[in-house]
Amino acid sequence: MATPMRIMNSSKVMKAKRMMDYNLIKSKRKTISIYIKPGGVVEVRAPLRASKALINSFVTAKSEWIASALERLSVREANKKIIRLSPEEEKACCQKALQYFQDRCAYFAAKMGVQYETIKVSKAKTRWGSCNSKGNINFTYRLIFAPEDLIDYVVIHELAHLKEMNHSNRFWEVVEEIIPDYKERRRRLNEFRDEFEFIIS
Ligand SMILES: [Zn+2]
């Protein structure tokens, strides 16, 4: 039985041609992998000995996967909401955030029976919060742009570390006692991270 011939329309061919552009990183690894980086850059990581022909045929074989990944990325990028702040506004946000986190921490710490030392606000871009064994808690001011129930999730998460300095089952039980829907909030918080972009200028 003959295999049906696949006819590509011109735009698909164009896409396939464009997709042959990629950044190649060779290293001491055993397999070839493709990564889609921010801005739609295709990165191929390959073993040192992999030939250009082998890598090209791998990329071609994965062209449909690459196309749909690029498509998803561009939809996400197009729907991003921009939060634009001047340095002064950012400073004001930090002050407002500090007050807010102090209030929420005091409220939930009493509920959870924990005690903390200090609360600080940072300008961290990728980390919502952190807590050390001395009881010093840090939050990024960016969090105050998230819905209140998601902010509470981070507050409770950090306070729970005062009981369990890890992410063990015991830790998540402490969180769950206060917010049984923590998994749902955690998921929405990750979405929030991807949907918003901060521009400080
Ligand atoms: Zn944690």
Side-chain angles (χ1 to χ4, degrees), residues 130-146:
S130 65
C131 175
N132 68 19
S133 55
K134 291 185 191 126
N136 302 315
I137 304 177
N138 248 290
F139 297 101
T140 172
Y141 79 87
R142 295 183 175 213
L143 194 52
I144 56 163
F145 291 91

Side-chain angles (χ1 to χ4, degrees), residues 22 32 44 46-47 49-61:
Y22 56 81
I32 306 178
V44 179
R49 282 178 304 161
S51 70
K52 189 79 184 166
L54 176 73
I55 296 166
N56 275 341
S57 71
F58 183 85
V59 173
T60 306

Side-chain angles (χ1 to χ4, degrees), residues 127 129-131 153 157-158 161 164 166-167 171-172:
R127 214 168 184 200
S130 65
C131 175
Y153 160 75
H157 181 123
E158 299 312 332
H161 277 314
E164 294 285 327
N166 48 52
H167 292 120
F171 168 82
W172 290 113

Side-chain angles (χ1 to χ4, degrees), residues 5 8-9 11 14 46 57 62 77 82 84 97 108 119 135 138-139 145-146 150 153-154 188:
M5 178 117 83
M8 286 174 125
N9 62 29
S11 81
M14 287 272 290
S57 71
K62 296 280 179 194
E77 293 286 322
I82 307 281
R84 202 179 286 273
F108 284 113
I119 305 223
N138 248 290
F139 297 101
F145 291 91
L150 304 190
Y153 160 75
V154 180
R188 282 171 46 224

Side-chain angles (χ1 to χ4, degrees), residues 84-97 123 141 144-145 199-201:
R84 202 179 286 273
L85 300 172
S86 67
E88 295 74 36
E89 285 169 330
E90 189 183 44
K91 205 174 157 198
C93 281
C94 286
Q95 281 163 358
K96 189 180 150 202
K123 293 177 184 174
Y141 79 87
I144 56 163
F145 291 91
I199 297 177
I200 316 300
S201 63

Side-chain angles (χ1 to χ4, degrees), residues 12-184:
K12 252 196 170 164
V13 173
M14 287 272 290
K15 252 187 189 168
K17 265 194 180 160
R18 241 197 357 252
M19 270 170 338
M20 295 309 289
D21 290 335
Y22 56 81
N23 290 344
L24 178 61
I25 297 175
K26 281 191 166 182
S27 64
K28 274 191 205 161
R29 50 178 296 144
K30 292 201 169 77
T31 56
I32 306 178
S33 293
I34 301 174
Y35 300 86
I36 307 295
K37 304 301 242 179
V41 175
V42 179
E43 186 178 288
V44 179
R45 297 189 199 162
L48 292 171
R49 282 178 304 161
S51 70
K52 189 79 184 166
L54 176 73
I55 296 166
N56 275 341
S57 71
F58 183 85
V59 173
T60 306
K62 296 280 179 194
S63 62
E64 276 189 25
W65 178 85
I66 295 172
S68 70
L70 287 172
E71 182 69 32
R72 281 197 306 274
L73 179 70
S74 74
V75 169
R76 255 204 331 270
E77 293 286 322
N79 291 329
K80 258 196 177 171
K81 295 168 194 82
I82 307 281
I83 295 172
R84 202 179 286 273
L85 300 172
S86 67
E88 295 74 36
E89 285 169 330
E90 189 183 44
K91 205 174 157 198
C93 281
C94 286
Q95 281 163 358
K96 189 180 150 202
L98 180 62
Q99 184 63 56
Y100 189 84
F101 291 128
Q102 280 171 340
D103 292 348
R104 294 316 273 169
C105 281
Y107 173 78
F108 284 113
K111 240 180 151 164
M112 295 165 75
V114 293
Q115 276 189 324
Y116 52 86
E117 282 299 317
T118 61
I119 305 223
K120 280 187 182 154
V121 167
S122 77
K123 293 177 184 174
K125 289 179 181 144
T126 54
R127 214 168 184 200
W128 297 122
S130 65
C131 175
N132 68 19
S133 55
K134 291 185 191 126
N136 302 315
I137 304 177
N138 248 290
F139 297 101
T140 172
Y141 79 87
R142 295 183 175 213
L143 194 52
I144 56 163
F145 291 91
E148 276 175 29
D149 60 333
L150 304 190
I151 306 177
D152 283 348
Y153 160 75
V154 180
V155 168
I156 291 157
H157 181 123
E158 299 312 332
L159 290 172
H161 277 314
L162 297 170
K163 284 189 176 174
E164 294 285 327
M165 265 296 161
N166 48 52
H167 292 120
S168 61
N169 289 342
R170 269 292 304 139
F171 168 82
W172 290 113
E173 279 165 25
V174 173
V175 175
E176 193 169 20
E177 251 173 59
I178 309 294
I179 37 171
D181 64 340
Y182 76 91
K183 282 184 187 162
E184 152 85 7

